[in-house]
Amino acid sequence: MSYRVHRVRAEDWPRLKVLRLAALADSPSAFQEQYTEAVTWPDAEWQFRAERATRDSNMQVLAVTGEGEWVGMMSAFVPDGDPGRALLVGVWVHPDHRGRATGVAALLLDAVPDWALGEVAGDRLDLTVT
């Protein structure tokens, strides 16, 4: 199966909502918020999150199959007051697309340092894991 990277745009919020809720349901201990909380959020929260991913200090990339299915995500941001580094957060790949053989996580991971070290001019990328 082939995959491509898609950088989140503001208009992606409905599909981003579906993907994030799937991630929260599948891996509840991997994220700060819980599915039971996130599923109640109004559309305005999901719109905000998608828009935030387009800002200079934030980014979110998705893995998309050749058929257009969103199957993974990875996010990064520059913390306030620390412009020299970026944090890698929000990593998730759908169970059917996990594993070294698929290359999904590696594909997403290639995009994050390019952004962090290239676009936001940081010299450090840290991984935050729960």
Side-chain angles (χ1 to χ4, degrees):
M1 179 172 292
S2 66
Y3 301 93
R4 66 178 171 81
V5 171
H6 171 77
R7 190 152 172 189
V8 170
R9 300 181 308 250
E11 63 268 19
D12 292 332
W13 74 266
R15 292 184 72 188
L16 185 61
K17 174 182 176 179
V18 170
L19 187 67
R20 181 65 171 200
L21 290 175
L24 294 172
D26 175 67
S27 303
S29 64
F31 299 95
Q32 288 184 338
E33 65 266 358
Q34 297 298 306
Y35 177 87
T36 54
E37 172 191 4
V39 75
T40 67
W41 291 343
D43 288 346
E45 175 65 19
W46 297 103
Q47 292 164 355
F48 165 75
R49 285 169 170 252
E51 184 276 324
R52 181 179 60 192
T54 68
R55 296 179 189 167
D56 290 343
S57 61
N58 293 272
M59 67 92 69
Q60 185 170 31
V61 288
L62 308 172
V64 183
T65 68
E67 294 77 35
E69 180 185 7
W70 290 13
V71 297
M73 63 183 173
M74 193 173 285
S75 303
F77 70 96
V78 176
D80 289 338
D82 198 356
R85 74 178 189 141
L87 293 175
L88 172 60
V89 298
V91 178
W92 182 77
V93 175
H94 187 282
D96 294 345
H97 300 271
R98 290 179 185 157
R100 194 169 290 220
T102 70
V104 172
L107 180 70
L108 293 171
L109 189 54
D110 285 345
V112 175
D114 288 347
W115 169 82
L117 304 175
E119 291 185 38
V120 297
D123 60 3
R124 192 168 128 196
L125 176 62
D126 294 333
L127 171 63
T128 301
V129 180
T130 322

CSV table of all heavy atoms in Angstrom, one decimal, residues 20 22-35 73 88-93 98 127-130:
chain,number,residue,atom,x,y,z
A,20,ARG,N,-8.8,12.0,15.2
A,20,ARG,CA,-8.4,12.2,16.6
A,20,ARG,C,-9.2,11.4,17.6
A,20,ARG,O,-8.7,10.8,18.5
A,20,ARG,CB,-8.4,13.7,17.0
A,20,ARG,CG,-8.0,14.0,18.4
A,20,ARG,CD,-6.6,13.8,18.6
A,20,ARG,NE,-6.1,14.3,19.9
A,20,ARG,CZ,-4.9,14.5,20.2
A,20,ARG,NH1,-3.9,14.3,19.4
A,20,ARG,NH2,-4.6,15.0,21.4
A,22,ALA,N,-10.7,8.6,16.9
A,22,ALA,CA,-10.3,7.2,16.7
A,22,ALA,C,-9.0,6.9,17.5
A,22,ALA,O,-8.9,5.9,18.1
A,22,ALA,CB,-10.0,6.9,15.2
A,23,ALA,N,-8.1,7.9,17.5
A,23,ALA,CA,-6.8,7.8,18.2
A,23,ALA,C,-7.1,7.7,19.7
A,23,ALA,O,-6.5,6.9,20.5
A,23,ALA,CB,-5.9,8.9,17.9
A,24,LEU,N,-8.0,8.6,20.2
A,24,LEU,CA,-8.3,8.6,21.6
A,24,LEU,C,-9.0,7.3,22.1
A,24,LEU,O,-8.7,6.8,23.2
A,24,LEU,CB,-9.2,9.8,22.0
A,24,LEU,CG,-8.5,11.2,21.8
A,24,LEU,CD1,-9.5,12.3,22.0
A,24,LEU,CD2,-7.3,11.4,22.8
A,25,ALA,N,-9.8,6.8,21.2
A,25,ALA,CA,-10.5,5.5,21.6
A,25,ALA,C,-9.6,4.3,21.6
A,25,ALA,O,-9.7,3.5,22.4
A,25,ALA,CB,-11.7,5.3,20.6
A,26,ASP,N,-8.6,4.3,20.6
A,26,ASP,CA,-7.7,3.2,20.5
A,26,ASP,C,-6.6,3.3,21.6
A,26,ASP,O,-6.2,2.2,22.1
A,26,ASP,CB,-7.0,3.3,19.1
A,26,ASP,CG,-6.0,2.2,18.9
A,26,ASP,OD1,-6.3,1.0,19.0
A,26,ASP,OD2,-4.8,2.6,18.8
A,27,SER,N,-6.1,4.5,21.9
A,27,SER,CA,-4.9,4.6,22.7
A,27,SER,C,-5.2,5.7,23.8
A,27,SER,O,-4.5,6.7,23.8
A,27,SER,CB,-3.7,5.0,21.9
A,27,SER,OG,-3.5,4.1,20.9
A,28,PRO,N,-6.1,5.4,24.8
A,28,PRO,CA,-6.5,6.4,25.7
A,28,PRO,C,-5.4,6.9,26.6
A,28,PRO,O,-5.4,8.1,27.0
A,28,PRO,CB,-7.6,5.7,26.6
A,28,PRO,CG,-7.4,4.3,26.3
A,28,PRO,CD,-6.8,4.1,25.0
A,29,SER,N,-4.3,6.2,26.9
A,29,SER,CA,-3.3,6.6,27.8
A,29,SER,C,-2.2,7.4,27.0
A,29,SER,O,-1.3,8.0,27.6
A,29,SER,CB,-2.6,5.4,28.5
A,29,SER,OG,-2.0,4.6,27.5
A,30,ALA,N,-2.3,7.5,25.7
A,30,ALA,CA,-1.3,8.2,24.9
A,30,ALA,C,-1.5,9.7,24.7
A,30,ALA,O,-0.6,10.4,24.2
A,30,ALA,CB,-1.2,7.5,23.5
A,31,PHE,N,-2.6,10.2,25.2
A,31,PHE,CA,-3.0,11.6,25.0
A,31,PHE,C,-3.4,12.3,26.2
A,31,PHE,O,-3.9,11.6,27.2
A,31,PHE,CB,-4.1,11.7,23.9
A,31,PHE,CG,-3.7,11.1,22.6
A,31,PHE,CD1,-4.0,9.8,22.3
A,31,PHE,CD2,-3.0,11.9,21.7
A,31,PHE,CE1,-3.7,9.3,21.0
A,31,PHE,CE2,-2.6,11.3,20.4
A,31,PHE,CZ,-2.9,10.0,20.1
A,32,GLN,N,-3.3,13.6,26.3
A,32,GLN,CA,-3.7,14.4,27.5
A,32,GLN,C,-5.2,14.3,27.7
A,32,GLN,O,-5.7,14.2,28.8
A,32,GLN,CB,-3.2,15.8,27.4
A,32,GLN,CG,-1.7,16.0,27.5
A,32,GLN,CD,-1.3,17.4,27.5
A,32,GLN,OE1,-2.0,18.3,27.0
A,32,GLN,NE2,-0.2,17.7,28.1
A,33,GLU,N,-6.0,14.5,26.6
A,33,GLU,CA,-7.4,14.4,26.8
A,33,GLU,C,-7.9,13.0,26.6
A,33,GLU,O,-7.3,12.2,26.1
A,33,GLU,CB,-8.1,15.4,25.8
A,33,GLU,CG,-8.0,15.0,24.4
A,33,GLU,CD,-6.9,15.8,23.7
A,33,GLU,OE1,-6.2,16.6,24.3
A,33,GLU,OE2,-6.6,15.5,22.5
A,34,GLN,N,-9.1,12.8,27.0
A,34,GLN,CA,-9.8,11.5,26.9
A,34,GLN,C,-10.9,11.5,25.9
A,34,GLN,O,-11.5,12.6,25.7
A,34,GLN,CB,-10.3,11.1,28.3
A,34,GLN,CG,-9.3,10.9,29.4
A,34,GLN,CD,-8.3,9.8,29.0
A,34,GLN,OE1,-8.7,8.7,28.7
A,34,GLN,NE2,-7.0,10.1,29.0
A,35,TYR,N,-11.2,10.4,25.3
A,35,TYR,CA,-12.3,10.3,24.4
A,35,TYR,C,-13.6,10.8,24.9
A,35,TYR,O,-14.3,11.5,24.2
A,35,TYR,CB,-12.4,8.8,23.9
A,35,TYR,CG,-13.6,8.6,22.9
A,35,TYR,CD1,-13.4,8.8,21.6
A,35,TYR,CD2,-14.8,8.3,23.4
A,35,TYR,CE1,-14.4,8.6,20.7
A,35,TYR,CE2,-15.9,8.1,22.5
A,35,TYR,CZ,-15.7,8.3,21.1
A,35,TYR,OH,-16.7,8.2,20.3
A,73,MET,N,-1.2,10.2,12.4
A,73,MET,CA,-1.0,11.7,12.6
A,73,MET,C,0.2,11.9,13.5
A,73,MET,O,0.6,11.0,14.2
A,73,MET,CB,-2.2,12.3,13.2
A,73,MET,CG,-2.5,11.8,14.6
A,73,MET,SD,-4.1,12.6,15.2
A,73,MET,CE,-4.3,11.7,16.6
A,88,LEU,N,7.7,17.3,19.6
A,88,LEU,CA,7.0,16.3,18.8
A,88,LEU,C,5.9,15.7,19.8
A,88,LEU,O,6.3,15.1,20.8
A,88,LEU,CB,7.9,15.3,18.3
A,88,LEU,CG,7.3,14.1,17.6
A,88,LEU,CD1,6.5,14.5,16.4
A,88,LEU,CD2,8.5,13.2,17.1
A,89,VAL,N,4.7,15.8,19.4
A,89,VAL,CA,3.6,15.2,20.2
A,89,VAL,C,2.5,14.6,19.3
A,89,VAL,O,2.6,14.7,18.1
A,89,VAL,CB,2.9,16.4,21.1
A,89,VAL,CG1,3.9,17.0,22.0
A,89,VAL,CG2,2.3,17.4,20.1
A,90,GLY,N,1.5,14.0,20.0
A,90,GLY,CA,0.3,13.5,19.3
A,90,GLY,C,0.6,12.5,18.2
A,90,GLY,O,0.0,12.6,17.1
A,91,VAL,N,1.4,11.5,18.4
A,91,VAL,CA,1.7,10.5,17.5
A,91,VAL,C,0.7,9.4,17.6
A,91,VAL,O,0.5,8.8,18.6
A,91,VAL,CB,3.2,10.0,17.7
A,91,VAL,CG1,3.5,8.9,16.7
A,91,VAL,CG2,4.2,11.1,17.6
A,92,TRP,N,0.2,9.0,16.4
A,92,TRP,CA,-0.7,7.8,16.4
A,92,TRP,C,-0.8,7.3,15.0
A,92,TRP,O,-0.9,8.0,14.0
A,92,TRP,CB,-2.1,8.2,16.9
A,92,TRP,CG,-3.1,7.1,16.9
A,92,TRP,CD1,-3.2,6.1,17.9
A,92,TRP,CD2,-4.1,6.7,16.0
A,92,TRP,NE1,-4.2,5.2,17.6
A,92,TRP,CE2,-4.8,5.6,16.4
A,92,TRP,CE3,-4.6,7.3,14.8
A,92,TRP,CZ2,-5.8,5.0,15.7
A,92,TRP,CZ3,-5.6,6.8,14.1
A,92,TRP,CH2,-6.2,5.6,14.6
A,93,VAL,N,-0.9,6.0,14.9
A,93,VAL,CA,-1.1,5.3,13.6
A,93,VAL,C,-2.2,4.2,13.8
A,93,VAL,O,-2.2,3.5,14.8
A,93,VAL,CB,0.2,4.6,13.1
A,93,VAL,CG1,-0.1,3.8,11.8
A,93,VAL,CG2,1.3,5.7,12.8
A,98,ARG,N,0.1,-0.1,11.3
A,98,ARG,CA,1.3,0.0,12.2
A,98,ARG,C,2.3,-1.0,11.7
A,98,ARG,O,2.0,-2.0,11.0
A,98,ARG,CB,0.9,-0.3,13.6
A,98,ARG,CG,0.1,0.8,14.2
A,98,ARG,CD,-0.3,0.5,15.7
A,98,ARG,NE,-1.2,1.5,16.2
A,98,ARG,CZ,-2.0,1.4,17.2
A,98,ARG,NH1,-2.1,0.3,17.8
A,98,ARG,NH2,-2.8,2.4,17.5
A,127,LEU,N,10.9,14.9,21.9
A,127,LEU,CA,9.7,14.0,21.8
A,127,LEU,C,9.1,14.0,23.2
A,127,LEU,O,9.8,13.8,24.2
A,127,LEU,CB,10.1,12.6,21.4
A,127,LEU,CG,9.1,11.5,21.5
A,127,LEU,CD1,7.9,11.8,20.5
A,127,LEU,CD2,9.7,10.2,21.2
A,128,THR,N,7.8,14.3,23.2
A,128,THR,CA,7.1,14.2,24.5
A,128,THR,C,6.1,13.0,24.4
A,128,THR,O,5.3,12.9,23.5
A,128,THR,CB,6.2,15.5,24.7
A,128,THR,OG1,7.1,16.6,24.7
A,128,THR,CG2,5.4,15.5,26.0
A,129,VAL,N,6.4,12.1,25.3
A,129,VAL,CA,5.6,10.8,25.3
A,129,VAL,C,4.9,10.6,26.6
A,129,VAL,O,5.4,10.9,27.7
A,129,VAL,CB,6.6,9.6,25.1
A,129,VAL,CG1,5.9,8.3,25.0
A,129,VAL,CG2,7.4,9.8,23.8
A,130,THR,N,3.7,10.1,26.5
A,130,THR,CA,2.9,9.7,27.7
A,130,THR,C,2.9,8.2,27.9
A,130,THR,O,2.8,7.5,26.9
A,130,THR,CB,1.5,10.2,27.6
A,130,THR,OG1,1.4,11.4,26.9
A,130,THR,CG2,0.8,10.3,28.9
